[in-house]
Amino acid sequence: MPYVLTLASHGIERAAQIDPAIRKGINLWHGKLTHEGVAEAHNLECFRLPF
């Protein structure tokens, strides 16, 4: 529930900036893969989050 409240109060970008656990849980952003382990496992390009 704390994650939901943080996301609802701040929006995803700000929530990811203030809570590392939320940031770590973002695997896709605007259709681009952002999780390094998943990208490596499937030989895909990994993108950094813009925030």
Side-chain angles (χ1 to χ4, degrees):
M1 189 68 163
Y3 298 126
V4 173
L5 294 174
T6 301
L7 287 164
S9 298
H10 301 287
I12 192 166
E13 289 185 28
R14 182 67 182 130
Q17 291 171 344
I18 61 176
D19 189 328
I22 291 175
R23 182 180 182 85
K24 198 172 189 179
I26 301 172
N27 294 318
L28 292 172
W29 186 255
H30 292 279
K32 294 182 178 180
L33 187 59
T34 61
H35 190 283
E36 190 174 326
V38 174
E40 286 180 15
H42 297 282
N43 198 28
L44 297 170
E45 187 174 0
C46 185
F47 296 87
R48 290 182 179 243
L49 290 171
F51 44 85

